[in-house]
Structure formats: C-alpha cells, structure tokens
Amino acid sequence: MPERAKMRKPDVKVVILGDMNVGKTSLLHRYTEKKFKDTVSTVGGAFFLKQWGPYNISIWDTAGREQFHGLGSMYCRGASAVILTYDVTNWQSLTELEDRFLSLTDTANADCIYAIVGNKADLTESSAQGPVPEDGQGEQESVGTELRPTGGGSSSGGGGGGGDALHQKQVNQDDALALYARVLRYKGLDGMACPPGESLCFETSAKTGYNVDVLFETIFDMVLPSILKKRREGEPSTVDLEDCRVPKSIKGGCCA
Amino acid sequence: MEQDNPGSANSEDVRTNEASPVTCPADTDPLPVTCPADTDPPPVTCPADTDPLPSGPQSSSGCEEQGDVPLLENHIQSEETQSRPEDELEAGCPDVSTVTDCSTQREDEILEQDSAPDDVSGETGQSAPDVVSGETGQPANPDGEGHTHPDGEGHTHLLPERNSDSASAEDGRDDSEEFVAAMLARSKLEEQGLGTKGSSPPLAETGGPPPPGAHRDEDVTGDAWRAHRKHVFVLSEAGKPIYSRYGSEEALSSTMGVMMALVSFVQSGDNNIRSVYSDQHTVVFMTQGPLVLVSVSSSGQSEQQLRVELRYVHNQIVSMLTEASIARIFQTKKNYDLRRLLAGSEKILDGLLDLLDSDPSFLLSAVHCVPLASSLRDSLSQILQKAITPNLVFSILIARQQLITIVQEKTVIEDARLEPSDLHLLFNLIGASSAFQAGEIWTPICLPCFNPDCYFYAYISYLDPPECTVCLLLLSTDKEAFYAVAECKRKIEEAMMAQNALAAIAKAHSYSVSQVGVSDLRHFMYKPFDVPDNHRQLTQFTSPEMESPYSSEEERTRLLDLYRDLHSRIHSSSRPLKLIYHVAERETLLAWVTSKFELYTCFSPLVTKASAINAITKLLRWIKKEEERLFIRYPPKYSTTPNPSRSSRKAAEQHDSTDNGFLSLL
Ligand SMILES: Nc1nc2c(ncn2[C@@H]2O[C@H](COP(=O)(O)OP(=O)(O)O)[C@@H](O)[C@H]2O)c(=O)[nH]1
Ligand SMILES: [Mg+2]
C-alpha cells in the first residue's frame, strides 16, 4: 500500500468477517493492491486505512477465530459496514456466518450496513474467470494452489452434496439473499428502510478481481452518509473508535 | 562482559601456558574441562579458575579426525603431564564417527551410556565416574519433563498388540505409514521407567494396530515425503491429527494413528514413550497435556535438542490458544478437531520449524541483538519509553528477526521478564504475518513461559514500509487498547522520524567476522550468561554474519549442524563437557562453556590448537571491547499501569473472556 496510515483519523470503519480461508484477506489485498497472491494466514485482526477520495476508511480484516478470543466485539465496535464473507463452494462457510459471526456485530453502529459476499466465484462461474473487466490491470499472480476448472466448471447445482467441492457451487445467490433477510431481521432492521438485498449480495473472485472493486466501492458509497453525518456533527472521528470502554449497549441498543 | 576482565587475563594465561605448560595450577585439575556443565568448577587456586581456557584447549583433544591425528597426537603427548582430562574428553565423545555419522552412532551411545562411564575409567585410569555418573541415571530426561521415574530408564520390547500381516499387506496404507512402521521395525524403543538398566532388546514387532478410523483415500506421498530431514506431527490424545509439517493431516491420519497407538500402548503400562532410534532416524515423542508431539528426524540432532524443538512447537500452539483453553476444550470434547481453531495457523508453525532449523537463537535459547551504537540504542529506548499508554507492558523494536531494544513496564519487570523463548515465538509470529506490511495487526497472543493461561494483545506494525525491516511490537494487557496503542506507534514513528533513526538502524547490520581481526576464525556464537544487570533480564548472544564459505544455504546448514552437535555434547545429560576441540573435514571447531559464557567457534581446517586458543583470546577481548554495541546492557523500564496488579503475572484475567466464545465452537 503506497500511502502511509500515519496521522490520519479514520472517518468510518468497515469490518470483514467470515470463516477461515473464505478469502477475506485476498479480497482486501485484491482491492488495495490490485493483486492476488498467496496470502499469509491472518493473525488476529489486521487494521488498514484506505484513502477513499477525501475520506479515510478503516478496514479490519479478521482471522475467523474472533469468537474464540472474544475479540469480535472489539473489531466490530462502531462499524458502519460489515462484510460477511463466505466461499461459494462451501455451504458450511455460509451457515457459519449466521451461527458464529452475526452475533459479533452486536457492537456495530445502529445504521450499520451488511453485505453478504460469496467469494471464489471463479471456481464456479465462467463469467467470473475471464479477464477482469473492472480492474484495468487484471494482473494475476496465480500463486494460489487451486487451479480453476478449465471446462464445465460453471455447474451451479445448489445444495452441495458429493462431487468436487472446489468446483461445485454450494451456495446460490438466493441463499445469500435469504441470509441477508435474516440478518436484517436479527438486527431488528426494517427491510423497507434498508438497501435491498440485491444491492448488498455479491459474488466475487479475489483471484480474478471479479466484482471486487464493485463490492468495496458500493459499500463505501453507502457509508458515505454516515461519514458526512459524523463530520457534520463535528464529532471527533476517533471518539467512536477510541472510547473503548463505552458499554456496547449504547450502540447496540437502537437495533432492538 | 565478565566483571574481572577475563579477556586480558586469559590472554596472559594462555601465553604463560604455551611457554611453560605446567605452570598454571588449574592445569592439574581435570575438572574444569570435564565436569558437568551445570556444576561449577571445584575450587581451584588459579585465579583464572572460572576460565579454564588456558588448560582447556591445549590439554584436551575432543574428537579429532584421523587425518590430523599424528600432528595433534604429538601435541597432546607433549602436554600429557598436565592434561589427563583429555582422556575423559575422548570418552565423552567416543569417536570421530559420532560427529560425522551421528545417526549410526547415536543408537550405540544411547544403549551404552549406562556402562560407558565404567569403560572410561577402565581405559584411562581416571575417576571419570565421579564426573559423569551423577547424570547417567536419567539421561533421557534432561529438560525437566514431568515423567521421570526415579528408578531410571531402561530399554524394553515393544509388543504392540496388533495383526502385523494385515498391516504390511494392506494396500490402503499410505507410504508414510509404512515409513513409520518400517522405521520402528528397525529400531529400538527406549522407554522410561520400565525394565532394567542396560537391557535393550530390539523392537520385536513392527508397526502398530490398524489406526482407528484410517482413511482409505489418502494421498500416497512417496519418497520425497520420506526424504524430509525432519517431520513434526502434532496429534490429540484421541489420535486426531492436528498438524503435520509436510503433507496434509488428513492424508497422514493413519500415520498419526500408528503414533498414537504407540503412545497409548506404552502409556497403558504406566510409562511414557520417549524416543525411538533407527539407523537413520530419531523419533521423539512428547506428551503435553492433551497433545502429543512427535519429531521424526534424520538431522542427527540429539533427543534433547529435538525435545526442545517440540516444546517450541507446543508453545507456539499454546501462544495461539492458551494451555487452559486447550485443556478445557479436550475436557469438554475428547476428540475435538483442534484444527478448527488452528486452521490458518499452520503457516505459523511451518515458519517456526524453518526457523528452528536455520536460526541458532533457538539452539542457544538466547536473543540475537542488532549490533548498534549504545547511544543510538539508548535514544531508541527513550523513544519507546515516552510513547506509553495504560496497560502497555512491553515495547519491542525488531529488525530482521533481531532485537533492537525492549522496554518493559516497571511493575512487570519486578516479578517477571520475557524469556528468550517467548520472544522467539513473537519474532516468528511477526515473520508469519509479513503479508500485512501495510496494515497494523492486533492479535491476542499468549506467552507460554510468562503465563501459559492468559493473553497479551500484541500490536504489530512495520515502521518502514514498503521495505518492512523494522518492526514495532507493543504488548498490552487490555484487549480493547488497540487505538490507544496504535497512537503510541504514531508517536514513536514521529520521534524516530525527527531523529532520522530509521536511517541509522538501516546502517546497522550484522558484522563481519573479519572485524575481529583473526585470520583463521570463520564464525562464532558467543552467549554470555554472567553479565550483571543484563542476563537477569534477557539472555542474549552475538554472532557475525555467516560468510564464505558458509554463504550458501547448504553450507550454512552444515555449519549449524556442526554447532548443534557440539552443543548436544556440551549439554549432554549423561556426560556434559566443558570443552570440545573438534577437527572436522573442512573446518575445525572449538566449543567452550564456562560459568560466564558459552562459546562456539569455527576455524579454517588448518588452524592449530595453539593458534585457535590464541584466536579465542583475541575474540574474547574483541567482544569485551564491543560489548556495548553487541548487547543490550540495561533494558529500560517505564511505568504505565495505574493499577499494578493488572499487569502482573498472576493477575491477568484475560483468558476469562475466551470462555464465552470457545465452548460454542465445540
Ligand atoms: N480460487 C480462488 N481462491 C481464492 C480466492 N480468494 C482466496 N482464495 C484462496 O483461498 C485461500 C484463503 O484465502 P485467504 O484470503 O487467506 O482467506 P481468509 O482466511 O478468509 O483471509 C488462499 O489459498 C487463497 O489463495 C478466490 O477468489 N478464488
Ligand atoms: Mg485472512
């Protein structure tokens, strides 16, 4: 990352959650560095500051063991957006989102937006494999282990079952949409007042770059109002983040 | 280093010695050379008694290879009047092939060690048993492992109750399993607390029972897999694979099943399996709570060394989960698949094992410091001292896996210090997370030596992206403190910028051995352990760059292997040595341990013993002169904690919070 994080106050906080190995780090790496390379396993949480126009967006990449360490609430505290990530070839990774990760978001902002992201689409969708349309460079360091299927790889039989898990699509867009609806319900949010599921469910490939920029740019656009609101209120942007000892109920309370 | 300035004392003594070998009183006392390393030399009148160098290298010929023998023998004979210890040394390293062909010798060594002291005394007429016998009762338990049986160790048959025909005939078995089974077939099992001393019948039957739940769809891993120098496996007591250095755990589950069967078979007889020796391999088992760790090594390392390595592996796992959590997990669910919690951390263990093979810090249990002008180090420490926040307890600056400085919270330092081994785990963690060069990491980390049951929260960030050589590590006891700690980093960054400290650090790098100015000296490792105000806080060592002819990976490994071998003999639990002069094919090595330091030196093969001694004298003098630069002398402190008890070793309560989460994962 070329720019330094030095002395910049984050305007807004985005958290990427999801099971180990679904590609959270790869997604962030693809977005920030326009590259896909073999990532090193994430240790704890990694905090990044991304300059987005005039705004500083802080992004937490997490390891997937937050619940074990009781750190999820810390990463999520005051978040304006949570990216719930699963692996389209792994049904379990979707259910884990609901079972293990959703409750971590209790400390997020009341107006937090939730995106549901199915990564590794290149393994199941031929459309996600091609040269990257929205990513001008599209350079691809295929150090990753799995090679995508060369033919017939775009079978989209849902539900999983047997077969090569790597190439079998186990989670369909509909499943993600259904999860999105359940997330809103869990949050006690009004489905009508929230962005529609179609705009916040993505299938991406960190490997090819498919939909990755779209994902992050969409989310940043959507959190812009909360950035502006915060700036308007003249609230020192760090209070939200630094005042760690604020009981979480203050923030979580509005959701109920 | 040494208070009494032994550098110069030594040099004089050595010269005196060379001139008239019999003058130094210490020479008449064999003990400084051969007594167990952990025992202080018996009272000797020579003022230099704690530095037996004068008598040592000259009088002793550790393990000399055939080629050099005539010359050295003359040398030895000329000194014979004052050098009886040499015979003991000789006995301590029974023959040259122990060094050059450890794998074949080792077995014999182990089997013979009970009787060896007698042989020694028989041969030499020396009172060697006095020196060594104290250790021989429990040679296999050098590291304080819990299951020492007072009645010593013995060797017994292992007769796993299984059906051997089916095992070898079954085509479903993978290569690796055969590999282990075959290894066991050729080997003897060393068991502890069983049988009578000295009896060592070979392993009567091979393999193990068909592992429970063996998968049929395993990868066949083949020769390449077997050929690895060192395998490390971690499994749960229920035999569930947790980690394998090479190959996927799934593919190796039956191999691990065999291992677990071995472990539990022996355990069923109230014993612990400790090691298995074969022609090429040493297999070391270690049980740590609900985890079983196994090392299968053809590296020629001693069991003791392999055991230390396994302990590191265990500690690294504990660093991610804490010992208490691991225990509770397996209490709750005996056959829990720990990989669910460790998934993604394999690379951290891989990295650790690579470091164990390549970084002598682990061997020496000491921290390697970046050589730095003490004024610069002090000003960096001051920067760290000033950038503090509540609950911050350690501030550590690291460059390329070497320590620049460490600053500690006052109340912490009173009842604890960071052990080198905890620091090594931290260094490894940093190495494993290098992908996050631009980010700032916040991660729970347990430091097992400090307290195996609770977490620190580590803030890790590089100060010089994109090069990412200088890393800041801040440890807090408050898991919510990320933003406060990150703010400390900004302050540190600013202050360093103002002083242009990064540029100064960049200029500081490892030194060349040529700076010592001794032509035959190629490399050395020097670890002081008698430095006031220093060692109580941090054990360190210094070592020059490995230069030609050790610049290639291969040669580097070879030199490290030689060092490891010397180290294992110096620290042998049965026959610890104080001094080894070892003439190898392509170099000559001298290892020497005193009450003040441990030193390993490597010379060109043509060096004579006299010039080696001379060189060491010069080296010690040089280190003395440079010690301000080579070592951290006075690690500074700060005070951040309003309520001191929070940071104390016992009061950290962080692990409680994990209770909420981990049970639901089961
Ligand atoms: N084929 C494919 N592999 C991916 C993709 N994203 C990540 N991976 C691979 O999945 C593994 C886990 O990725 P990582 O980003 O570390 O996952 P994280 O644990 O969620 O951070 C790595 O081996 C990646 O190379 C993707 O979009 N397509
Ligand atoms: Mg990751």
Side-chain angles (χ1 to χ4, degrees), chain A residues 19-26 39-44 61-64, chain B residues 436:
Chain A
D19 207 357
M20 206 93 59
N21 284 326
V22 298
K24 300 179 294 297
T25 306
S26 301
T39 52
V40 178
S41 34
T42 310
V43 173
D61 176 27
T62 59
Chain B
F436 304 99

Coordinates of all heavy atoms in Angstrom, one line a residue, chain A residues 19-26 39-44 61-64, chain B residues 436, ligand 2:
Chain A
D19 N -15.6 -17.1 7.9 CA -14.8 -18.2 8.3 C -13.4 -18.1 7.7 O -13.1 -17.4 6.7 CB -15.5 -19.5 7.8 CG -15.1 -20.7 8.7 OD1 -14.3 -20.5 9.7 OD2 -15.7 -21.8 8.5
M20 N -12.5 -18.9 8.3 CA -11.1 -19.0 7.8 C -11.1 -19.5 6.4 O -11.9 -20.3 6.0 CB -10.5 -20.1 8.7 CG -9.0 -20.0 8.8 SD -8.6 -19.1 10.2 CE -9.4 -20.1 11.5
N21 N -10.2 -18.9 5.6 CA -10.0 -19.4 4.2 C -11.1 -19.1 3.2 O -11.0 -19.6 2.1 CB -9.8 -20.9 4.2 CG -8.4 -21.2 4.7 OD1 -7.4 -20.5 4.5 ND2 -8.2 -22.3 5.5
V22 N -12.0 -18.3 3.6 CA -13.0 -17.9 2.5 C -12.4 -16.9 1.6 O -13.0 -16.7 0.5 CB -14.3 -17.4 3.1 CG1 -15.0 -18.5 4.0 CG2 -14.1 -16.2 3.9
G23 N -11.4 -16.2 2.0 CA -10.7 -15.3 1.1 C -10.8 -13.8 1.5 O -10.7 -12.9 0.7
K24 N -11.0 -13.6 2.8 CA -11.2 -12.2 3.3 C -9.9 -11.4 3.0 O -10.0 -10.3 2.4 CB -11.5 -12.2 4.8 CG -12.7 -13.0 5.2 CD -12.9 -13.0 6.7 CE -11.8 -13.7 7.5 NZ -11.8 -15.2 7.1
T25 N -8.8 -12.0 3.3 CA -7.6 -11.2 3.2 C -7.3 -11.0 1.7 O -6.8 -10.0 1.2 CB -6.4 -12.0 3.8 OG1 -6.8 -12.2 5.2 CG2 -5.1 -11.2 3.8
S26 N -7.6 -12.1 0.9 CA -7.3 -12.0 -0.5 C -8.2 -10.9 -1.2 O -7.8 -10.2 -2.1 CB -7.6 -13.3 -1.2 OG -6.8 -14.3 -0.7
T39 N -1.7 -15.4 0.3 CA -1.6 -14.6 1.5 C -1.1 -15.5 2.6 O -1.2 -16.7 2.6 CB -3.0 -14.0 1.8 OG1 -3.9 -15.1 1.9 CG2 -3.4 -13.0 0.8
V40 N -0.5 -14.8 3.6 CA -0.1 -15.5 4.8 C -1.3 -15.5 5.7 O -2.1 -14.5 5.7 CB 1.1 -14.7 5.4 CG1 1.5 -15.4 6.7 CG2 2.2 -14.7 4.5
S41 N -1.5 -16.5 6.5 CA -2.7 -16.6 7.3 C -2.8 -15.4 8.2 O -1.8 -14.9 8.8 CB -2.7 -17.9 8.1 OG -1.4 -18.2 8.5
T42 N -4.0 -14.9 8.4 CA -4.2 -13.7 9.2 C -4.0 -14.0 10.6 O -4.5 -15.0 11.1 CB -5.6 -13.2 8.9 OG1 -5.8 -13.1 7.5 CG2 -5.8 -11.8 9.5
V43 N -3.3 -13.1 11.3 CA -3.1 -13.3 12.7 C -3.9 -12.2 13.4 O -3.8 -11.0 13.2 CB -1.6 -13.0 13.0 CG1 -1.4 -13.0 14.5 CG2 -0.7 -14.0 12.4
G44 N -4.8 -12.7 14.2 CA -5.7 -11.8 14.9 C -6.5 -10.9 13.9 O -7.1 -11.4 13.0
D61 N -9.5 -6.5 8.8 CA -9.5 -7.8 8.2 C -9.3 -8.8 9.4 O -8.4 -8.6 10.2 CB -8.4 -8.0 7.2 CG -8.3 -9.4 6.7 OD1 -9.3 -10.1 6.7 OD2 -7.2 -9.8 6.3
T62 N -10.2 -9.8 9.5 CA -10.1 -10.6 10.7 C -9.7 -12.0 10.4 O -9.6 -12.4 9.2 CB -11.5 -10.6 11.4 OG1 -12.5 -11.1 10.5 CG2 -12.0 -9.2 11.8
A63 N -9.4 -12.8 11.4 CA -8.8 -14.1 11.2 C -9.9 -15.2 11.1 O -9.6 -16.2 10.6 CB -7.8 -14.4 12.3
G64 N -11.0 -15.0 11.7 CA -12.0 -16.0 11.7 C -12.1 -16.8 13.0 O -12.9 -17.7 13.1
Chain B
F436 N 1.1 -8.5 6.0 CA 0.4 -7.3 6.4 C 1.3 -6.1 6.6 O 1.1 -5.4 7.5 CB -0.4 -7.6 7.7 CG -1.3 -8.8 7.5 CD1 -0.9 -10.1 7.9 CD2 -2.4 -8.7 6.8 CE1 -1.6 -11.2 7.7 CE2 -3.2 -9.8 6.5 CZ -2.8 -11.0 7.0
Ligands
MG2 MG -7.1 -13.8 6.3

